[in-house]
Amino acid sequence: MRRPFEPLIPLAAALAGITLEGMWSLLAAGRARGRVVACVLLALGAASFVMQEQWLQVNPRGGVDIQARHEGLRLVEQGRGQEAVDLLSAALAEQDNLSTRTVLGMALASTGQAAAAASEFKRVLAQDSARPDAAFQLASLLVGPLAGDNDTQRLATTREAEALLRSALVARPKWAEAHFNLGVTLLRQLRFGEALSSVDTALGLADPQAPWRSEAQRVQEIARARQGGGGNQ
């Protein structure tokens, strides 16, 4: 039986490159501005990379790729990301595998190599566009460390992240965390009604103990307040 998706690697450390000035200019004026910015940062910090249990199941050939993924994830969880990168890179040199490459992207992201991680996720999606895990993870980078240096770039990467999350949700419509992250991208685009709907869905699907629930509730409150104040819908 497949388990619920498990949060593995919080992205808070990878968000240091986001500047508040650029985010403020994308948000409507008013007293809620500071709360929105703070909430978005918290929301993105709560986003995490996820994995499928099937990645850890032994394949019929007992391939080393499964073992490498299992060990790579263990190293990442222990904060030994570079060791995971080395291990997974060696495994991929022997046998290319999209799931192993996705875990390599996770390991690279955990060491702060956001651009290299994004490259791996894009490579996975280029070979198989129906890979929701890679889409989710790339979207997280696009609204975090790869958001861009100015408002135009940030808006473009936010829209790209939105598209990626929507594609992930086509494959896994009950993925609570993806609904939440989608809500964050919509909030950043001032689409308050859509953001509220997405976050409402996320909270309805989420486990009561989901670590991002409090941040989602803050986003929910802000989107509701801004929607009621005449914001975009």
Side-chain angles (χ1 to χ4, degrees):
M1 179 181 299
R2 182 178 295 176
R3 294 178 298 172
F5 300 106
E6 298 179 354
L8 287 179
I9 312 170
L11 290 178
L15 298 177
I18 300 177
T19 62
L20 295 182
E21 290 81 3
M23 294 181 68
W24 280 348
S25 65
L26 290 176
L27 298 171
R31 291 182 298 174
R33 174 184 290 171
R35 291 182 61 212
V36 173
V37 172
C39 186
V40 169
L41 290 173
L42 286 169
L44 295 175
S48 61
F49 292 129
V50 296
M51 54 164 283
Q52 287 180 270
E53 185 179 35
Q54 66 184 33
W55 289 0
L56 304 184
Q57 295 173 350
V58 177
N59 62 28
R61 295 172 293 131
V64 296
D65 57 324
I66 297 292
Q67 300 171 24
R69 291 200 294 277
H70 188 288
E71 179 64 12
L73 289 167
R74 186 185 69 82
L75 289 169
V76 169
E77 288 186 285
Q78 294 178 352
R80 298 159 63 187
Q82 189 55 54
E83 292 178 57
V85 169
D86 296 340
L87 173 70
L88 293 161
S89 297
L92 284 166
E94 294 185 18
Q95 177 181 334
D96 199 353
N97 178 280
L98 297 184
S99 293
T100 303
R101 193 166 295 283
T102 302
V103 179
L104 173 60
M106 296 163 60
L108 287 164
S110 77
T111 64
Q113 301 177 69
S119 178
E120 296 299 334
F121 298 141
K122 289 178 180 178
R123 187 169 176 179
V124 169
L125 291 169
Q127 296 182 60
D128 183 359
S129 60
R131 300 283 300 195
D133 296 293
F136 175 90
Q137 294 158 4
L138 179 56
S140 297
L141 293 173
L142 290 172
V143 293
L146 300 181
D149 298 325
N150 56 56
D151 294 345
T152 300
Q153 292 175 354
R154 291 187 188 98
L155 182 57
T157 54
T158 297
R159 287 174 173 168
E160 184 178 353
E162 177 193 349
L164 287 164
L165 290 166
R166 289 192 186 282
S167 72
L169 286 167
V170 168
R172 299 178 192 164
K174 295 186 178 181
W175 191 349
E177 193 168 16
H179 279 288
F180 172 42
N181 288 5
L182 175 60
V184 172
T185 69
L186 294 167
L187 185 69
R188 289 182 64 170
Q189 296 177 70
L190 311 182
R191 293 157 62 183
F192 301 115
E194 293 174 77
L196 179 60
S197 177
S198 186
V199 177
D200 284 348
T201 299
L203 289 169
L205 292 170
D207 184 279
Q209 303 304 316
W212 47 266
R213 178 172 283 274
S214 61
E215 284 76 21
Q217 289 170 336
R218 293 190 184 100
V219 172
Q220 185 183 51
E221 292 171 2
I222 292 168
R224 184 178 292 117
R226 299 312 301 274
Q227 181 188 31
N232 294 346
Q233 311 217 0

